[in-house]
Amino acid sequence: MLKCELDTPALILDLDKFEENLIKMRDFAAKYGKKLRPHAKTHKCPEIAKRQLSSGNCAGICVAKLSEAEALADAGIQDILITSPVVAPQKIARLTILNDKISNLQITVDSKYQVEMLVSAFRNRKPLHVLIDVDPEMGRTGVPFEQAVEFGEFIGTFPELILDGVQCYAGHLQHIVSGTERNAQSTRLMQQGAAVFRQLAAKFPSCTVYTGTGTGTSAADVLIPELTDIQVGSYCMMDSEYLAVEHTGPAYAPALTMLSSVISANHPGHATIDAGTKAVYVTPGAPAQVIEEDSPNKDIVYSWDFGDEHGHLTFPENISFTPGETVELIVSHCDPTVNLFDHLNIVKNGEVIARWPITLRGCCR
């Protein structure tokens, strides 16, 4: 097949599975009256972001970094939420330019220091729309639930900022293996976020957005009445990490795979491929999986212990590989693995039909 003629390692996106995943998540969210706000940190590809928007039922696209937002804006996308605080003075200067460039920019805020920096930068400019980032007991970013309303009242004193709502993203829950435990923990936290949102919405007419969740907790979070949209990312590609957990909602196909080549097979029971840590992000609990005929082969185990350049396959002695043979992997964690490549090879019926640039690759600022 044509895809086997690619230089390896190479990222493959199965177009049929990808489109099926988009439709499945779109319809699932719509069933519960929620909109999608797909997270571009997963795919880092403007073409995918545009297809997510055009598939319908989208509130916009979200990103983790200002540089990602700038790249999407350059590609013509107008509705963008930056889900991490922007604080450094040089970044806030860039933020003022981006806010003038697109029609609907939103950012998250979580400190009075950040708010004061923004107020100073946006004085006598187009107002900036903000969401309060609440901390779902994760300790990464966000204000505690009990401080969020007071923080919102502080924001409301500044005409330079428009308070659009609340973000609550429990990233630490997304890969809990037990669906029952994951759903229960997420429901508890998202309900606290909902209480904050209700109080702020009663004080500020502009406060109409309660956003958050991820692919792993989406089945529970859509049951929160106040939630307006879901920031799902991995659903469009999937990876071994997500496939290892118990799903309580729709099942999404592994549309993203990696093509690799066997470069040495001199020993029984193991072989070396050309995809090491420079190609496959290290997620020890959920290594990449070798697939055959569209299903993982549990007898073949991938590991990173051969270093940067090389992947290590181990298998029973009744299995053998030959140098030059092609191996297809479900990657361990799609987001950072995609960040290691320049483009996605788009495959339909076993043939490469397009190459989509990973334009947001390396956008870490």
Short mmCIF file of all heavy atoms in Angstrom, two decimals, residues 278-315:
data_model
loop_
_atom_site.label_atom_id
_atom_site.label_comp_id
_atom_site.label_asym_id
_atom_site.label_seq_id
_atom_site.Cartn_x
_atom_site.Cartn_y
_atom_site.Cartn_z
N LYS A 278 12.42 10.15 20.44
CA LYS A 278 12.30 11.33 19.57
C LYS A 278 11.03 11.30 18.73
O LYS A 278 10.66 12.30 18.12
CB LYS A 278 13.51 11.43 18.64
CG LYS A 278 14.79 11.92 19.32
CD LYS A 278 15.90 12.09 18.30
CE LYS A 278 17.18 12.62 18.92
NZ LYS A 278 18.27 12.74 17.91
N ALA A 279 10.38 10.14 18.67
CA ALA A 279 9.19 10.00 17.83
C ALA A 279 7.93 9.69 18.62
O ALA A 279 6.84 10.07 18.21
CB ALA A 279 9.42 8.89 16.79
N VAL A 280 8.06 8.99 19.75
CA VAL A 280 6.90 8.57 20.54
C VAL A 280 7.06 9.10 21.95
O VAL A 280 8.03 8.75 22.64
CB VAL A 280 6.78 7.03 20.57
CG1 VAL A 280 5.49 6.62 21.31
CG2 VAL A 280 6.77 6.44 19.17
N TYR A 281 6.12 9.92 22.39
CA TYR A 281 6.19 10.50 23.73
C TYR A 281 6.16 9.40 24.78
O TYR A 281 5.40 8.43 24.68
CB TYR A 281 5.04 11.47 23.94
CG TYR A 281 5.05 12.15 25.28
CD1 TYR A 281 5.92 13.20 25.54
CD2 TYR A 281 4.20 11.73 26.29
CE1 TYR A 281 5.93 13.83 26.76
CE2 TYR A 281 4.20 12.36 27.53
CZ TYR A 281 5.07 13.40 27.76
OH TYR A 281 5.09 14.02 28.98
N VAL A 282 6.97 9.57 25.83
CA VAL A 282 7.07 8.55 26.86
C VAL A 282 5.92 8.68 27.86
O VAL A 282 5.81 9.66 28.59
CB VAL A 282 8.42 8.68 27.62
CG1 VAL A 282 8.50 7.61 28.71
CG2 VAL A 282 9.58 8.53 26.65
N THR A 283 5.05 7.69 27.88
CA THR A 283 3.98 7.56 28.86
C THR A 283 4.09 6.15 29.44
O THR A 283 3.48 5.21 28.91
CB THR A 283 2.58 7.78 28.23
OG1 THR A 283 2.58 9.02 27.52
CG2 THR A 283 1.50 7.82 29.28
N PRO A 284 4.86 5.98 30.50
CA PRO A 284 5.19 4.62 30.97
C PRO A 284 3.99 3.72 31.25
O PRO A 284 4.03 2.52 31.00
CB PRO A 284 5.98 4.90 32.26
CG PRO A 284 6.56 6.26 32.06
CD PRO A 284 5.54 7.02 31.29
N GLY A 285 2.91 4.32 31.76
CA GLY A 285 1.75 3.49 32.09
C GLY A 285 0.97 3.01 30.90
O GLY A 285 0.14 2.09 31.02
N ALA A 286 1.18 3.61 29.72
CA ALA A 286 0.40 3.24 28.54
C ALA A 286 1.29 3.33 27.31
O ALA A 286 1.18 4.27 26.52
CB ALA A 286 -0.82 4.15 28.39
N PRO A 287 2.20 2.38 27.12
CA PRO A 287 3.10 2.44 25.96
C PRO A 287 2.36 2.30 24.65
O PRO A 287 1.20 1.86 24.60
CB PRO A 287 4.05 1.26 26.19
CG PRO A 287 3.28 0.33 27.06
CD PRO A 287 2.43 1.18 27.94
N ALA A 288 3.05 2.69 23.59
CA ALA A 288 2.48 2.52 22.25
C ALA A 288 2.15 1.05 22.01
O ALA A 288 2.79 0.16 22.58
CB ALA A 288 3.46 3.02 21.21
N GLN A 289 1.16 0.82 21.18
CA GLN A 289 0.72 -0.55 20.90
C GLN A 289 0.89 -0.88 19.43
O GLN A 289 0.49 -0.09 18.55
CB GLN A 289 -0.76 -0.72 21.27
CG GLN A 289 -1.06 -0.52 22.74
CD GLN A 289 -2.56 -0.56 23.00
OE1 GLN A 289 -3.27 0.40 22.76
NE2 GLN A 289 -3.04 -1.70 23.46
N VAL A 290 1.47 -2.03 19.13
CA VAL A 290 1.57 -2.50 17.76
C VAL A 290 0.21 -3.04 17.33
O VAL A 290 -0.42 -3.80 18.06
CB VAL A 290 2.64 -3.61 17.64
CG1 VAL A 290 2.67 -4.17 16.23
CG2 VAL A 290 4.01 -3.07 18.03
N ILE A 291 -0.25 -2.60 16.16
CA ILE A 291 -1.55 -3.08 15.69
C ILE A 291 -1.38 -3.88 14.41
O ILE A 291 -0.50 -3.63 13.59
CB ILE A 291 -2.55 -1.92 15.47
CG1 ILE A 291 -2.02 -0.90 14.46
CG2 ILE A 291 -2.87 -1.23 16.78
CD1 ILE A 291 -3.04 0.16 14.09
N GLU A 292 -2.24 -4.87 14.29
CA GLU A 292 -2.29 -5.71 13.10
C GLU A 292 -3.75 -5.90 12.73
O GLU A 292 -4.58 -6.23 13.58
CB GLU A 292 -1.62 -7.07 13.35
CG GLU A 292 -0.12 -6.97 13.62
CD GLU A 292 0.49 -8.32 13.92
OE1 GLU A 292 -0.25 -9.23 14.32
OE2 GLU A 292 1.72 -8.46 13.76
N GLU A 293 -4.06 -5.66 11.47
CA GLU A 293 -5.44 -5.78 11.00
C GLU A 293 -6.39 -4.97 11.88
O GLU A 293 -7.44 -5.43 12.30
CB GLU A 293 -5.88 -7.24 10.93
CG GLU A 293 -5.06 -8.06 9.93
CD GLU A 293 -5.50 -9.51 9.87
OE1 GLU A 293 -6.38 -9.90 10.66
OE2 GLU A 293 -4.97 -10.25 9.02
N ASP A 294 -5.96 -3.75 12.21
CA ASP A 294 -6.76 -2.76 12.91
C ASP A 294 -6.96 -3.05 14.41
O ASP A 294 -7.74 -2.38 15.06
CB ASP A 294 -8.13 -2.61 12.25
CG ASP A 294 -8.57 -1.15 12.19
OD1 ASP A 294 -7.70 -0.27 12.16
OD2 ASP A 294 -9.79 -0.90 12.18
N SER A 295 -6.26 -4.04 14.95
CA SER A 295 -6.40 -4.36 16.37
C SER A 295 -5.03 -4.49 17.02
O SER A 295 -4.09 -4.97 16.38
CB SER A 295 -7.18 -5.67 16.57
OG SER A 295 -8.49 -5.56 16.06
N PRO A 296 -4.91 -4.11 18.29
CA PRO A 296 -3.62 -4.27 18.97
C PRO A 296 -3.23 -5.74 19.10
O PRO A 296 -4.07 -6.59 19.39
CB PRO A 296 -3.88 -3.65 20.35
CG PRO A 296 -5.05 -2.75 20.18
CD PRO A 296 -5.89 -3.39 19.13
N ASN A 297 -1.96 -6.02 18.87
CA ASN A 297 -1.43 -7.36 19.10
C ASN A 297 -0.82 -7.37 20.50
O ASN A 297 0.26 -6.82 20.72
CB ASN A 297 -0.38 -7.71 18.04
CG ASN A 297 0.08 -9.15 18.15
OD1 ASN A 297 0.15 -9.72 19.23
ND2 ASN A 297 0.42 -9.76 17.01
N LYS A 298 -1.52 -7.99 21.44
CA LYS A 298 -1.09 -7.95 22.84
C LYS A 298 0.21 -8.73 23.06
O LYS A 298 0.86 -8.58 24.11
CB LYS A 298 -2.19 -8.53 23.73
CG LYS A 298 -3.52 -7.82 23.64
CD LYS A 298 -3.45 -6.37 24.10
CE LYS A 298 -4.83 -5.72 24.11
NZ LYS A 298 -4.79 -4.30 24.51
N ASP A 299 0.60 -9.57 22.11
CA ASP A 299 1.83 -10.36 22.26
C ASP A 299 3.08 -9.55 21.93
O ASP A 299 4.19 -10.00 22.22
CB ASP A 299 1.78 -11.61 21.38
CG ASP A 299 0.73 -12.62 21.85
OD1 ASP A 299 0.49 -12.67 23.08
OD2 ASP A 299 0.16 -13.32 21.01
N ILE A 300 2.91 -8.41 21.27
CA ILE A 300 4.05 -7.58 20.90
C ILE A 300 4.05 -6.35 21.80
O ILE A 300 3.07 -5.60 21.84
CB ILE A 300 3.98 -7.16 19.41
CG1 ILE A 300 3.84 -8.40 18.51
CG2 ILE A 300 5.21 -6.36 19.03
CD1 ILE A 300 3.62 -8.07 17.05
N VAL A 301 5.14 -6.15 22.53
CA VAL A 301 5.21 -5.08 23.51
C VAL A 301 6.27 -4.06 23.08
O VAL A 301 7.42 -4.42 22.80
CB VAL A 301 5.55 -5.63 24.91
CG1 VAL A 301 5.66 -4.49 25.92
CG2 VAL A 301 4.50 -6.63 25.36
N TYR A 302 5.85 -2.79 23.04
CA TYR A 302 6.76 -1.69 22.71
C TYR A 302 7.32 -1.12 24.01
O TYR A 302 6.62 -0.96 25.01
CB TYR A 302 6.03 -0.59 21.95
CG TYR A 302 6.88 0.64 21.68
CD1 TYR A 302 7.60 0.76 20.50
CD2 TYR A 302 6.98 1.66 22.62
CE1 TYR A 302 8.39 1.87 20.25
CE2 TYR A 302 7.76 2.78 22.38
CZ TYR A 302 8.46 2.88 21.21
OH TYR A 302 9.26 3.98 20.97
N SER A 303 8.61 -0.75 24.00
CA SER A 303 9.20 -0.04 25.14
C SER A 303 10.23 0.96 24.62
O SER A 303 10.74 0.84 23.50
CB SER A 303 9.83 -1.00 26.14
OG SER A 303 10.91 -1.70 25.56
N TRP A 304 10.56 1.95 25.49
CA TRP A 304 11.47 3.03 25.11
C TRP A 304 12.91 2.77 25.56
O TRP A 304 13.76 3.64 25.45
CB TRP A 304 11.01 4.35 25.74
CG TRP A 304 9.75 4.91 25.20
CD1 TRP A 304 9.60 5.74 24.12
CD2 TRP A 304 8.43 4.72 25.70
NE1 TRP A 304 8.29 6.07 23.93
CE2 TRP A 304 7.53 5.45 24.89
CE3 TRP A 304 7.90 3.99 26.77
CZ2 TRP A 304 6.16 5.48 25.11
CZ3 TRP A 304 6.54 4.01 26.99
CH2 TRP A 304 5.68 4.76 26.17
N ASP A 305 13.21 1.60 26.07
CA ASP A 305 14.50 1.38 26.71
C ASP A 305 15.67 1.28 25.73
O ASP A 305 16.82 1.12 26.16
CB ASP A 305 14.47 0.16 27.62
CG ASP A 305 14.07 -1.12 26.92
OD1 ASP A 305 13.65 -1.05 25.74
OD2 ASP A 305 14.16 -2.20 27.53
N PHE A 306 15.41 1.42 24.42
CA PHE A 306 16.50 1.47 23.46
C PHE A 306 16.90 2.91 23.12
O PHE A 306 17.71 3.15 22.24
CB PHE A 306 16.14 0.71 22.18
CG PHE A 306 16.40 -0.78 22.28
CD1 PHE A 306 16.87 -1.36 23.44
CD2 PHE A 306 16.18 -1.60 21.18
CE1 PHE A 306 17.11 -2.73 23.52
CE2 PHE A 306 16.41 -2.97 21.25
CZ PHE A 306 16.88 -3.54 22.43
N GLY A 307 16.27 3.89 23.79
CA GLY A 307 16.75 5.26 23.70
C GLY A 307 16.04 6.19 22.73
O GLY A 307 14.92 5.94 22.29
N ASP A 308 16.74 7.28 22.40
CA ASP A 308 16.16 8.36 21.61
C ASP A 308 15.75 7.92 20.21
O ASP A 308 14.69 8.30 19.70
CB ASP A 308 17.16 9.52 21.48
CG ASP A 308 17.51 10.15 22.80
OD1 ASP A 308 16.88 9.80 23.82
OD2 ASP A 308 18.42 10.99 22.83
N GLU A 309 16.62 7.18 19.56
CA GLU A 309 16.44 6.87 18.14
C GLU A 309 15.70 5.57 17.87
O GLU A 309 15.17 5.38 16.78
CB GLU A 309 17.82 6.77 17.44
CG GLU A 309 18.82 7.84 17.84
CD GLU A 309 18.41 9.23 17.41
OE1 GLU A 309 17.48 9.35 16.60
OE2 GLU A 309 19.03 10.20 17.88
N HIS A 310 15.65 4.69 18.89
CA HIS A 310 15.21 3.32 18.62
C HIS A 310 14.10 2.89 19.57
O HIS A 310 14.14 3.18 20.77
CB HIS A 310 16.39 2.35 18.78
CG HIS A 310 17.59 2.74 18.00
ND1 HIS A 310 18.81 3.02 18.59
CD2 HIS A 310 17.76 2.95 16.67
CE1 HIS A 310 19.69 3.35 17.66
NE2 HIS A 310 19.07 3.32 16.48
N GLY A 311 13.13 2.19 19.02
CA GLY A 311 12.10 1.55 19.82
C GLY A 311 12.38 0.07 19.95
O GLY A 311 12.98 -0.55 19.05
N HIS A 312 11.94 -0.52 21.06
CA HIS A 312 12.23 -1.91 21.37
C HIS A 312 10.94 -2.72 21.35
O HIS A 312 10.00 -2.42 22.09
CB HIS A 312 12.87 -1.98 22.77
CG HIS A 312 13.33 -3.33 23.18
ND1 HIS A 312 13.70 -3.63 24.47
CD2 HIS A 312 13.50 -4.48 22.47
CE1 HIS A 312 14.08 -4.90 24.54
NE2 HIS A 312 13.96 -5.43 23.35
N LEU A 313 10.86 -3.70 20.47
CA LEU A 313 9.72 -4.60 20.43
C LEU A 313 10.14 -5.94 21.02
O LEU A 313 11.17 -6.50 20.63
CB LEU A 313 9.24 -4.82 19.00
CG LEU A 313 8.79 -3.61 18.19
CD1 LEU A 313 8.27 -4.06 16.82
CD2 LEU A 313 7.73 -2.80 18.92
N THR A 314 9.35 -6.46 21.95
CA THR A 314 9.56 -7.81 22.47
C THR A 314 8.32 -8.64 22.19
O THR A 314 7.20 -8.12 22.18
CB THR A 314 9.86 -7.80 23.98
OG1 THR A 314 8.81 -7.09 24.66
CG2 THR A 314 11.18 -7.11 24.26
N PHE A 315 8.55 -9.95 21.97
CA PHE A 315 7.44 -10.80 21.53
C PHE A 315 7.82 -12.27 21.73
O PHE A 315 9.01 -12.61 21.88
CB PHE A 315 7.12 -10.53 20.06
CG PHE A 315 8.34 -10.31 19.20
CD1 PHE A 315 9.09 -11.39 18.72
CD2 PHE A 315 8.76 -9.03 18.89
CE1 PHE A 315 10.22 -11.18 17.95
CE2 PHE A 315 9.90 -8.81 18.12
CZ PHE A 315 10.63 -9.90 17.65
#
